[in-house]
Amino acid sequence: MSDPFAPAPEWEWERVRPPTGRGRPTLAVFKLASCDGCQLSLLDHEDALLRLADVVQIAEFAELSSASMPGPYDLVLVEGSVTTPADAARVAGIRDAARRLVAIGACATAGGIQSLRNFADEPALARRVYAHPEYLATLADSTPVSAHVRVDAEIHGCPVDGGELLEVVAATLAGRRPITRPHAVCEECKQAGHACLLVTGRAACLGPVTHAGCGALCPGVDRGCFGCFGPSESPNTSSLAAGLARRNISEKSLRRLLRTFTAAAPAFATESARHGDV
Ligand code: SF4
Ligand code: SF4
């Protein structure tokens, strides 16, 4: 997986200035197929948001305000995956209006929980769930924003860490590269002083192959990491899967472990496919 925070060519040096002469830089937040949880993570940082509102013009943010300004926007955060033709058309328009576009959360960066349908017979699922599936217009797969338009950076997590989100906004305004955590959950787990669930045999854990950012929440309460921050950089999923198999974790359990929040992320999708189809 490429470095999600690799800067766009001009990222590090070009301070964001309003292209429209409207005063403060403009921030817009849009959602596609998602639960709004990542937007709520930003709203949770109420005090920081108030300070942010002093330095940026919040042009579009449906979870925060009904106010709506037309683009172009200096910074756009996009939550959610692309699951319908309408989503695909909309995200193309959003890209056209964005000087910087950051995909936020597991849905926007890896297709999200809804990408579980990528591994199933989607028309058959629709017939089981909906009384009138003929009214649905869906794409074959749930895909990340980067599968459709250029993305300047990605923030992982289901939901994202609000502090990391604010750091990306601050870095954009300052014209510098965001300071984020590139390591795996195991490092956070060791820093927190938790006993390793794999070593002690108490649970299967995706920590060695999962992007940091949660502070090892699940291992902290004796639950194995579910991988909601998606694959870390250069994850050795096959080695971890082989190790879990030696601990008598079944093929089905392995598959389910890898197919949860970021099932369509290539590193998890490829490894899960080695452990059966359904
Ligand atoms: S990544 Fe998780 S919390 Fe964020 S919108 Fe998607 S489902 Fe909700
Ligand atoms: S419990 Fe999981 S996250 Fe923590 S060190 Fe062990 S494998 Fe890594």
Side-chain angles (χ1 to χ4, degrees):
M1 181 187 242
S2 60
D3 176 2
F5 286 97
E10 73 280 35
W11 173 281
E12 288 184 282
W13 310 114
E14 185 198 4
R15 184 179 293 272
V16 168
R17 294 189 181 87
T20 56
R22 290 188 285 194
R24 289 170 289 168
T26 46
L27 168 70
V29 184
F30 292 102
K31 92 176 225 102
L32 301 170
S34 63
C35 79
D36 289 30
C38 289
Q39 294 181 70
L40 292 176
S41 291
L42 184 55
L43 289 177
D44 281 345
H45 288 259
E46 294 166 351
D47 293 343
L49 259 183
L50 287 175
R51 289 202 301 278
L52 188 64
D54 287 338
V55 292
V56 300
Q57 172 83 49
I58 298 178
E60 187 82 38
F61 191 172
E63 278 282 358
L64 177 71
S65 166
S66 56
S68 178
M69 282 173 59
Y73 310 108
D74 293 297
L75 175 62
V76 171
L77 308 178
V78 179
E79 174 197 82
S81 68
V82 177
T83 62
T84 67
D87 288 339
R90 190 157 164 255
V91 81
I94 291 170
R95 175 70 263 186
D96 286 345
R99 297 186 74 201
R100 292 278 185 276
L101 189 154
V102 178
I104 62 170
C107 298
T109 60
I113 295 169
Q114 55 273 34
S115 67
L116 288 172
R117 73 177 170 86
N118 300 7
F119 302 91
D121 180 347
E122 192 269 329
L125 280 181
R127 284 195 298 276
R128 284 181 66 180
V129 173
Y130 296 102
H132 291 283
E134 67 274 17
Y135 293 153
L136 298 179
T138 58
L139 296 170
D141 291 328
S142 170
T143 45
V145 172
S146 62
H148 299 265
V149 297
R150 181 173 57 82
V151 168
D152 295 302
E154 293 184 330
I155 305 177
H156 301 275
C158 182
V160 292
D161 175 69
E164 199 162 76
L165 202 47
L166 285 169
E167 161 59 15
V168 169
V169 174
T172 303
L173 295 173
R176 63 170 172 79
R177 185 175 181 171
I179 300 167
T180 57
R181 293 158 284 204
H183 45 266
V185 171
C186 284
E187 197 168 321
E188 295 184 310
C189 190
K190 292 298 94 191
Q191 284 170 352
H194 304 319
C196 179
L197 297 167
L198 284 182
V199 171
T200 56
R202 294 209 297 280
C205 183
L206 286 183
V209 295
T210 299
H211 209 285
C214 64
L217 280 175
C218 292
V221 291
D222 256 8
R223 301 292 302 272
C225 169
F226 293 98
C228 50
F229 273 63
S232 55
E233 287 155 33
S234 307
N236 194 344
T237 43
S238 56
S239 173
L240 178 65
L244 292 174
R246 283 195 297 275
R247 289 170 168 82
N248 296 322
I249 305 295
S250 70
E251 292 279 280
K252 183 178 178 185
S253 297
L254 264 175
R255 197 168 62 239
R256 290 184 123 179
L257 191 58
L258 291 161
R259 289 184 186 171
T260 48
F261 302 92
T262 57
F268 287 1
T270 303
E271 187 57 37
S272 70
R274 295 195 180 111
H275 303 281
D277 286 335
V278 184

